[in-house]
Amino acid sequence: MADDFPRDRAHIHLRNNGIREAYRRPNQLIHAPPLPARDRASHAAALTQSIEQAVESARQQIAARDPQLSVGTPGFYLEIDLPMSGRAALDQLADRRQHMELVAVHEPTQPGAPITASVFLPQSAQAYYLRKVEAYRDVDTDRGRPRNEPLVSRMETVRLATARSLFTDHDDLFPQAADEQVWWEVWLRDGRRENFEHIAEALNITLRTHAVRFPERVVMLALASTAMLDRMIAHSDVVAELRRAKDTPSFFMGLGGAEQRDWSDELLGRVRPPQSDIAVCILDSGVRRTHPLIEPALAVEDWHTVKPAWGSDDTPAWSGHGTRMAGVGLYGDLVPLLVGGDPVPLPFRLESVRILPPEDEANDPELYGAITAEAIARAEVQAPERRRAIAMAVTSASPARGRPTSWSAAIDQLCFEEEQRRLIVLSAGNIGDDLMPAEHLTRNDLEAVDDPSQAWNALTVGAFTEKVDIIDTDFAGYAPIAPVGELSPRSRTSVVWDRQWPVKPEVVFEGGNLAHDGVLPGEPIDDLQILTTFYRPELRHFTTLGDTSAATAHAARMAGLILSARPELWPETVRALIVHSAEWTPAMRARIDACNGAKGEIQALVRLYGVPDLGRALLSTVNDLTLIVEDELQPFQREGGAAAKTRDMKLHRLPWPKEQLAALGAAQVELRVTLSYFIEPNPGERGWTRRHRYASHGLRFRVKSATETVDEFRARINQAARDEEEGAPAGGGEEWLLGTFRDRGSLHADFWSGSAADLAERDAIGVFPVGGWWKEKPYLERVDALARYALIVTIRAPGVDVDIFTPVEAALTVETSVET
């Protein structure tokens, strides 16, 4: 969505979301009879006391301001009550000459309650109302009426304003708890967006980048608590009005079928069919291809089934799950697109393969791997040259605790096949039982991810949520189970796995939330879900999706977007970019930071790498530089009848901007490294000893320290490889957040922070092999096989004004040497 709605779309958006205009046409002024002298004096005295107390509170508020937060014109907001009969006085509350502005008016919801108006006063105008009241008390006009009577006689109470004062929605929508974070529409005063973004960043308020512009207002979405907004209002002049964000699925789900079709048709008019040959392939219950929003991206020839007798269409047996997955995989959440006005180009096409049977049939559990392979083959035979991301949210509950199964091993093999490497995205699976609020996070940790999501080579996706707003009045009094930025209530993890198995899920995407009434278990109400396509468009066009299914579809969409932008990238690289771009939310990071660097506690918490971001995955910035390496090495060799031994390691010299980093000196910078490769699986429960390893090989990375020479670095790498083979404690990870805990599975990511001067000398990364069955079982004749990998390195200088991108831009090829 662009920064501006077209005028007609903005009106549709506001009308249908029930957002009232803040300003009403003034009623004709009806003069009341003059007040008796004693009442006039009494009213002036009471009003003077009220104003003086408010202004004194404002002075104390200004004196207590944090200089890092204060932006804009020094001043404060006052909240003024007026009777309903005094509406005409609203126009007289502000004075443009004094740079005062009436910013918000809250209509009463109870009979006899006052109108509440909020006004911003620059500090220079702090005596404005006191002077008005003094003149009202002491001076008469030529007609014998008190001066300023139309205004002052209708002012009842004056208070220092808070966030509640600027709230113009229905009273029931205002959060009850000061620390409850919800999404707000923040209506900004003209010309103050930059200041708003500055103070929002300082207060750790999450913003959506899109904005709606009106002649005197800019409207943005912000995730914040009322306590955060109170601080913003106390420190700035940016906010005019606050409303609850109402673009939730419940609005669209509440429409009739014909109204849904109107919204769908309007969006369809802005959809631009895909022009590329990139695809997201959905393995599920089939897809209803005739849905108007699906048809432009799903050709008949790309609409498959593993059994012709089933057909390719979606069915009620699975509640239209495949069509719901396809909608999210193609568009993401439909809500922002429906309320937007921009063209919607589709950067990739859809493929669908039905793998789920009709209601009266069941797949043989032993054949799940074969069914998955057959499904992928159907798509590939039709379009063998096409680049695709394959998404499957179909899982089976398994007590494997990370151990490979025939299904997960088949997926590892499908990813690895040397003639056709594949990018496969899997769901971590959902907790199926009823959930109470007190069980959140505990149940997530205890419920292990479902089969086949333990596959080493697949990207496994869990769910987190930022959906906490409950707008639907049918659920007044309900609360979300998961707080902002935490795991979705039903998302599974690998916390209880044996430690030798990979970190799963690697990443999380939006999967919605559950609501509870304080008594019954949580339920997936529309407000807390993702809006998507319904499999029976003849009845209605929209439905919702949540949990790890929605998250998996979001992940597949990101993979499709990356492939559309960079079609030459390997599947290993796309997987790496998604993980490398992930960051822990503030809620996740707070639990890690609370460990105070204790490796064991951190490792117990880190069972995912965070929430990915497409912008970070694709773009470097001047102070955030990413380097991508795609390379290969031969891990092992065997000469004659001798035992196989390690052959290659690779040393990548990094073209750091040493001069710029050295100039920063002690300034803190961050280094992030992600290594991604696919292993060839060799499943079979044989104790997982060194001889009977599951993985064909392993790769590791180490970064040269600031004080090491290159020769010393090589020696350290060689020692690290020997230590791991001999089962000795691995060294070299103490300076990193995760350390050698990262050396699990076939994707390794870690984080280092330190001084820029130190980083300037950490100018090499070594990638080296460790053993696997290729080495231990030379009779299988894979000892000479090549292993390819993707290595991604990012240096970041947060909060530092320095260009670290330009000095490296010319050195696009990373210097590499091979050590045998």
Side-chain angles (χ1 to χ4, degrees):
M1 198 190 321
D3 280 351
D4 296 286
F5 285 108
R7 184 179 180 87
D8 57 337
R9 289 297 299 165
H11 288 175
I12 292 171
H13 166 59
L14 295 176
R15 183 190 69 237
N16 283 286
N17 283 278
I19 301 175
R20 300 185 306 275
E21 294 182 7
Y23 306 102
R24 306 291 192 224
R25 185 180 301 278
N27 295 333
Q28 183 178 359
L29 181 62
I30 301 175
H31 288 289
L35 293 170
R38 64 178 183 275
D39 291 339
R40 171 179 170 185
S42 175
H43 178 66
L47 197 55
T48 297
Q49 182 180 13
S50 176
I51 294 170
E52 286 177 342
Q53 290 176 348
V55 171
E56 178 58 30
S57 296
R59 292 193 189 102
Q60 295 174 13
Q61 178 178 277
I62 292 171
R65 281 181 172 178
D66 182 344
Q68 300 299 317
L69 298 180
S70 298
V71 292
T73 302
F76 51 91
Y77 294 84
L78 291 182
E79 180 183 48
I80 303 169
D81 289 343
L82 305 121
M84 282 294 292
S85 59
R87 176 186 294 277
L90 290 172
D91 284 348
Q92 303 175 53
L93 285 174
D95 187 334
R96 290 178 58 84
R97 296 168 300 178
Q98 302 279 339
H99 304 290
M100 298 167 57
E101 183 180 359
L102 174 67
V103 292
V105 175
H106 185 72
E107 298 285 343
T109 57
Q110 300 295 328
I115 298 173
T116 302
S118 295
V119 182
F120 177 79
L121 278 76
Q123 198 168 4
S124 58
Q126 60 183 298
Y128 178 83
Y129 291 123
L130 288 172
R131 289 195 295 267
K132 290 285 185 182
V133 174
E134 182 180 357
Y136 164 81
R137 183 192 63 205
D138 299 336
V139 181
D140 287 340
T141 66
D142 293 340
R143 296 184 179 182
R145 304 295 295 266
R147 180 169 291 180
N148 304 323
E149 181 188 28
L151 170 65
V152 177
S153 67
R154 289 161 178 83
M155 294 173 64
E156 294 183 344
T157 305
V158 179
R159 297 175 294 275
L160 184 64
T162 63
R164 185 69 180 83
S165 310
L166 304 185
F167 187 69
T168 58
D169 254 338
H170 194 281
D171 291 338
D172 291 344
L173 295 179
F174 194 81
Q176 297 300 308
D179 59 351
E180 178 186 356
Q181 292 197 10
V182 300
W183 285 100
W184 305 82
E185 284 185 1
V186 182
W187 294 60
L188 302 175
R189 299 177 68 207
D190 192 32
R192 289 163 173 83
R193 177 174 177 175
E194 185 176 348
N195 283 347
F196 169 66
E197 291 173 339
H198 168 80
I199 193 170
E201 181 179 7
L203 291 171
N204 292 319
I205 293 174
T206 301
L207 302 181
R208 292 285 186 250
T209 56
H210 305 302
V212 185
R213 299 180 188 276
F214 298 105
E216 292 184 293
R217 296 288 183 260
V218 173
V219 184
M220 296 185 69
L221 294 182
L223 178 66
S225 66
T226 55
M228 292 174 172
L229 294 176
D230 280 338
R231 292 197 71 196
M232 176 177 287
I233 290 163
H235 284 80
S236 70
D237 64 344
V238 298
V239 180
E241 184 180 344
L242 296 169
R243 305 178 187 179
R244 285 290 292 272
K246 299 181 184 64
D247 289 337
T248 67
S250 64
F251 166 73
F252 296 99
M253 292 295 289
L255 299 176
E259 293 175 299
Q260 286 192 2
R261 184 169 61 250
D262 289 344
W263 283 89
S264 178
D265 288 347
E266 194 282 331
L267 173 57
L268 183 62
R270 294 182 277 119
V271 168
R272 304 292 180 262
Q275 303 300 311
S276 75
D277 204 31
I278 303 298
V280 167
C281 181
I282 307 291
L283 311 185
D284 209 281
S285 63
V287 170
R288 181 58 56 90
R289 186 184 160 273
T290 55
H291 193 294
L293 294 177
I294 298 294
E295 192 170 7
L298 180 56
V300 174
E301 57 269 24
D302 296 325
W303 195 38
H304 308 287
T305 177
V306 294
K307 289 189 178 181
W310 294 352
S312 302
D313 211 350
D314 212 343
T315 69
W318 302 98
S319 302
H321 190 268
T323 305
R324 291 187 283 162
M325 287 283 294
V328 177
L330 186 60
Y331 294 101
D333 192 338
L334 281 173
V335 170
L337 298 181
L338 289 168
V339 302
D342 288 344
V344 181
L346 302 179
F348 53 80
R349 62 185 69 241
L350 284 178
E351 297 172 334
S352 169
V353 189
R354 180 171 173 177
I355 63 171
L356 292 176
E359 197 166 352
D360 56 350
E361 292 186 35
N363 291 330
D364 185 343
E366 295 180 0
L367 298 180
Y368 286 163
I371 290 171
T372 306
E374 171 68 15
I376 293 171
R378 298 269 177 168
E380 290 177 348
V381 167
Q382 167 59 34
E385 301 302 320
R386 181 176 293 166
R387 301 295 310 282
R388 57 176 57 82
I390 301 160
M392 185 173 71
V394 179
T395 65
S396 174
S398 169
R401 296 178 67 92
R403 294 171 179 264
T405 62
S406 62
W407 194 4
S408 72
I411 288 173
D412 278 333
Q413 186 63 43
L414 288 165
C415 293
F416 174 80
E417 287 180 3
E418 292 172 307
E419 293 76 18
Q420 181 72 49
R421 297 287 171 98
R422 298 177 178 92
L423 175 63
I424 299 179
V425 181
L426 300 178
S427 162
N430 301 320
I431 300 170
D433 302 332
D434 287 341
L435 290 166
M436 299 301 292
E439 299 174 309
H440 181 238
L441 295 183
T442 301
R443 287 287 297 278
N444 296 109
D445 286 349
L446 295 178
E447 302 276 357
V449 304
D450 284 340
D451 189 25
S453 57
Q454 70 269 40
W456 288 35
N457 295 337
L459 178 71
T460 302
V461 181
F464 92 115
T465 191
E466 289 184 337
K467 289 187 174 290
V468 294
D469 280 355
I470 299 174
I471 303 298
D472 190 339
T473 55
D474 288 345
F475 295 96
Y478 279 61
I481 284 183
V484 168
E486 275 292 7
L487 285 177
S488 291
R490 287 179 171 155
S491 189
R492 293 174 175 265
T493 68
S494 61
V495 172
V496 297
W497 280 4
D498 297 332
R499 289 176 62 92
Q500 72 264 34
W501 303 116
V503 171
K504 294 287 180 175
E506 289 94 347
V507 291
V508 288
F509 284 81
E510 179 63 72
N513 209 338
L514 300 179
H516 69 97
D517 62 359
V519 178
L520 297 175
E523 56 181 299
I525 68 173
D526 291 338
D527 274 337
L528 304 183
Q529 301 290 288
I530 291 87
L531 192 72
T532 186
T533 46
F534 185 54
Y535 81 109
R536 296 191 63 187
E538 69 276 12
L539 298 180
R540 54 189 172 90
H541 280 219
F542 306 133
T543 187
T544 59
L545 183 66
D547 301 328
T548 58
S549 292
T552 301
H554 279 304
R557 181 172 183 268
M558 181 173 176
L561 292 170
I562 292 173
L563 283 172
S564 298
R566 301 285 300 276
E568 77 284 358
L569 293 177
W570 295 346
E572 299 96 319
T573 311
V574 177
R575 177 178 73 150
L577 281 170
I578 293 173
V579 174
H580 192 78
S581 74
E583 290 188 352
W584 292 301
T585 65
M588 298 172 187
R589 185 77 211 199
R591 287 188 280 122
I592 294 171
D593 291 343
C595 297
N596 295 318
K599 282 284 191 294
E601 294 180 32
I602 292 173
Q603 292 167 2
L605 288 170
V606 177
R607 276 298 178 176
L608 54 94
Y609 293 108
V611 182
D613 179 85
L614 182 65
R616 288 194 298 267
L618 290 177
L619 299 175
S620 292
T621 61
V622 294
N623 66 343
D624 189 344
L625 169 67
T626 296
L627 305 173
I628 301 173
V629 178
E630 291 180 330
D631 207 344
E632 65 180 11
L633 56 77
Q634 181 177 328
F636 315 114
Q637 67 179 2
R638 187 186 188 195
E639 297 177 355
K645 64 179 182 179
T646 301
R647 183 178 187 272
D648 293 344
M649 61 85 71
K650 286 210 170 177
L651 186 67
H652 298 275
R653 296 187 181 276
L654 301 170
W656 284 162
K658 289 191 174 184
E659 182 177 340
Q660 286 75 14
L661 289 173
L664 291 176
Q668 292 294 292
V669 294
E670 299 171 0
L671 172 65
R672 179 167 187 166
V673 179
T674 300
L675 175 65
S676 172
Y677 55 96
F678 290 163
I679 57 98
E680 184 176 10
N682 187 11
E685 184 62 71
R686 288 171 289 183
W688 312 111
T689 61
R690 187 170 73 171
R691 180 168 177 77
H692 297 295
R693 285 189 258 212
Y694 175 72
S696 53
H697 65 290
L699 296 180
R700 305 288 185 260
F701 73 82
R702 294 291 187 270
V703 178
K704 176 180 169 291
S705 72
T707 58
E708 280 181 314
T709 66
V710 172
D711 286 342
E712 290 170 338
F713 180 42
R714 289 193 189 101
R716 177 160 66 88
I717 288 175
N718 290 331
Q719 185 61 49
R722 286 193 296 270
D723 288 344
E724 182 155 348
E725 283 297 285
E726 295 168 2
E734 295 79 7
E735 300 172 318
W736 293 72
L737 180 66
L738 304 183
T740 53
F741 174 77
R742 66 183 179 236
D743 294 337
R744 289 163 170 77
S746 62
L747 186 142
H748 315 298
D750 209 346
F751 316 82
W752 175 91
S753 61
S755 72
D758 191 347
L759 179 60
E761 299 304 320
R762 295 174 180 264
D763 56 358
I765 293 183
V767 176
F768 61 95
V770 295
W773 63 263
W774 279 357
K775 178 182 179 184
E776 303 300 336
K777 299 185 177 185
Y779 55 85
L780 295 179
E781 298 184 351
R782 295 289 287 157
V783 70
D784 296 326
L786 296 177
R788 73 182 198 180
Y789 61 89
L791 179 68
I792 304 180
V793 184
T794 292
I795 56 173
R796 179 182 300 176
V800 177
D801 185 16
V802 60
D803 184 355
I804 58 177
F805 177 81
T806 304
V808 183
E809 188 175 14
L812 295 179
T813 302
V814 179
E815 182 182 345
T816 303
S817 62
V818 180
E819 308 288 339
T820 300

